[in-house]
């Protein structure tokens, strides 16, 4: 089996520690890091079910099935009770069907920026349900967000803030323009940066 590069090993070590998100550039190996992470979490927790949530194109191309065989050995993947790969569009339906057993799975959230709209999107709400049930998840993205409001779902998933309402109450400065709220700035940005790090 191939070996991870040093920066990938560092990402893996961080994720096996107390981190949940890996922000890494496109083409730098999110898939190898994620499947190696899932294997180690399965071994540590004795869980035998892995769910990969990714784009529809990667799901259809079987990229994550190939990566798991390449980096962890086909024997590991075949030894699991379940190794499923779904698209972000199918996450709500999957969560609704598995809600009683969410804590039995290990989750890889590829292209985790899909949750940056949080409770405003079905995929964001579905993923936050998973994060409230288990700590055995990791997310990977090259583009986490452009403004702090897009980061609140990550903070919520990591139990750093309770929800969007509490995030806005503490960190967001708003004004109302023609009856609609408009964000004009952020407070306590040192705390936000600390949480993100």
């Amino acid at each position: 089996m191939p070996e991870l590069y040093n920066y990938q090993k560092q990402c893996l070590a961080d994720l096996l520690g107390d981190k949940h998100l890996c922000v890494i550039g496109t083409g730098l190996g999110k898939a190898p890091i994620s499947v190696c992470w899932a294997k180690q979490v399965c071994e540590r927790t004795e869980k035998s079910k892995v769910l990969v949530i990714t784009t529809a194109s990667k799901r259809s191309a079987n990229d994550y099935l190939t990566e798991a065989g390449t980096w962890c050995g086909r024997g590991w993947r075949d030894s699991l009770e379940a190794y499923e790969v779904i698209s972000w569009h199918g996450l709500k339906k999957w969560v609704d069907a598995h809600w009683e057993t969410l804590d039995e799975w290990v989750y890889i959230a590829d292209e985790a920026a899909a949750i940056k709209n949080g409770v405003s999107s079905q995929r964001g709400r579905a993923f936050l349900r998973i994060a409230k049930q288990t700590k055995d998840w990791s997310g990977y993205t090259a583009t986490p967000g452009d403004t702090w409001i897009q980061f609140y779902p990550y903070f919520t998933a990591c139990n750093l803030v309770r929800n969007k309402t509490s995030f806005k109450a503490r960190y967001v400065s708003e004004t109302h323009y023609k009856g609609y709220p408009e964000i004009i700035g952020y407070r306590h940005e040192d705390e936000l940066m600390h949480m993100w790090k």
Side-chain angles (χ1 to χ4, degrees), residues 54-103:
T54 188
T55 62
S57 60
K58 286 185 186 177
R59 180 209 59 208
S60 299
N62 290 323
D63 288 356
Y64 270 88
L65 292 172
T66 304
E67 295 288 354
T70 300
W71 293 94
C72 301
R74 187 173 175 141
W76 170 72
R77 191 187 75 205
D78 292 343
S79 72
L80 296 172
E81 184 179 339
Y83 184 92
E84 293 184 31
V85 181
I86 65 170
S87 73
W88 280 101
H89 296 293
L91 182 60
K92 181 191 179 304
K93 183 178 179 181
W94 188 94
V95 167
D96 288 346
H98 294 84
W99 68 273
E100 291 180 332
T101 61
L102 292 178
D103 62 343

Side-chain angles (χ1 to χ4, degrees), residues 115-119 124 127-128 137 148-158 161:
I115 70 164
K116 68 184 175 186
N117 291 326
V119 295
F127 190 80
L128 290 175
W137 65 268
W148 283 119
I149 194 66
Q150 294 178 332
F151 285 58
Y152 96 83
Y154 307 125
F155 297 150
T156 303
C158 293
V161 298

